[in-house]
């Protein structure tokens, strides 16, 4: 997808990305919501569009991560560029409440299955 800024002079190609991150199970609901708001504003500030965030809830992990057997899953779908993904993942790497994250690039944003 091509995106033209307000001045109609810069054209940027935006890719479709899906980022899923897993929070520690002892994270409170208020902290969970504040992290969602933080990453939503971070994506908007860095130029992402069509941001969809879904709470996938608490799920059992296939193997323990840092002695945790459960995790809270959050899924974010958005359109942005590669430098945005690098910045987002770097931010998640330094957050102590996130135990894992994964970003995948999708060909088409219309393939999102919303429950």
């Amino acid at each position: 997808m091509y995106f033209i800024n307000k001045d109609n002079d810069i054209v940027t190609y935006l890719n479709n990305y899906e980022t899923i991150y897993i929070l520690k199970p002892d994270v409170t609901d208020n902290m969970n919501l504040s992290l969602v708001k933080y990453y939503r504003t971070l994506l908007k500030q860095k130029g992402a569009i069509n941001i969809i965030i879904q709470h996938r809830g608490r799920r059992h992990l296939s193997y323990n991560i840092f002695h945790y057997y459960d995790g809270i899953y959050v899924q974010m779908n958005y359109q942005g560029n590669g430098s945005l993904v690098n910045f987002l993942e770097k931010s998640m790497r330094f957050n102590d409440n996130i135990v894992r994250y994964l970003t995948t690039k999708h060909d088409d944003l219309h393939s999102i299955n919303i429950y």
Side-chain angles (χ1 to χ4, degrees):
M1 174 182 183
Y2 288 98
F3 177 72
I4 301 173
N5 70 353
K6 294 176 185 175
D7 299 329
N8 292 329
D9 58 351
I10 298 176
V11 177
T12 306
Y13 186 74
L14 300 178
N15 296 311
N16 301 316
Y17 292 102
E18 175 180 278
T19 301
I20 297 178
Y21 60 92
I22 305 172
L23 297 170
K24 293 179 180 179
D26 54 357
V27 171
T28 63
D29 289 337
N30 289 336
M31 178 60 107
N32 189 352
L33 290 175
S34 67
L35 282 172
V36 168
K37 289 178 184 176
Y38 171 73
Y39 286 120
R40 181 188 302 268
T41 57
L42 182 73
L43 288 172
K44 284 183 182 178
Q45 288 175 352
K46 296 296 179 180
I49 60 172
N50 296 334
I51 302 168
I52 301 171
I53 299 179
Q54 302 173 26
H55 291 275
R56 294 296 183 180
R58 181 183 296 259
R59 296 185 180 191
H60 185 70
L61 302 174
S62 298
Y63 55 92
N64 63 346
I65 303 172
F66 303 125
H67 303 292
Y68 292 111
Y69 294 96
D70 292 332
I72 301 170
Y73 284 68
V74 179
Q75 176 183 348
M76 300 188 302
N77 296 91
Y78 52 93
Q79 292 179 334
N81 56 18
S83 62
L84 166 70
V85 173
N86 290 337
F87 188 81
L88 180 69
E89 288 185 347
K90 186 175 182 179
S91 173
M92 289 183 176
R93 190 177 313 129
F94 293 118
N95 192 328
D96 292 334
N97 292 318
I98 297 177
V99 293
R100 286 284 190 273
Y101 58 88
L102 176 70
T103 301
T104 57
K105 182 178 171 182
H106 290 273
D107 292 332
D108 192 3
L109 188 64
H110 301 293
S111 65
I112 299 172
N113 189 2
I114 300 175
Y115 295 99

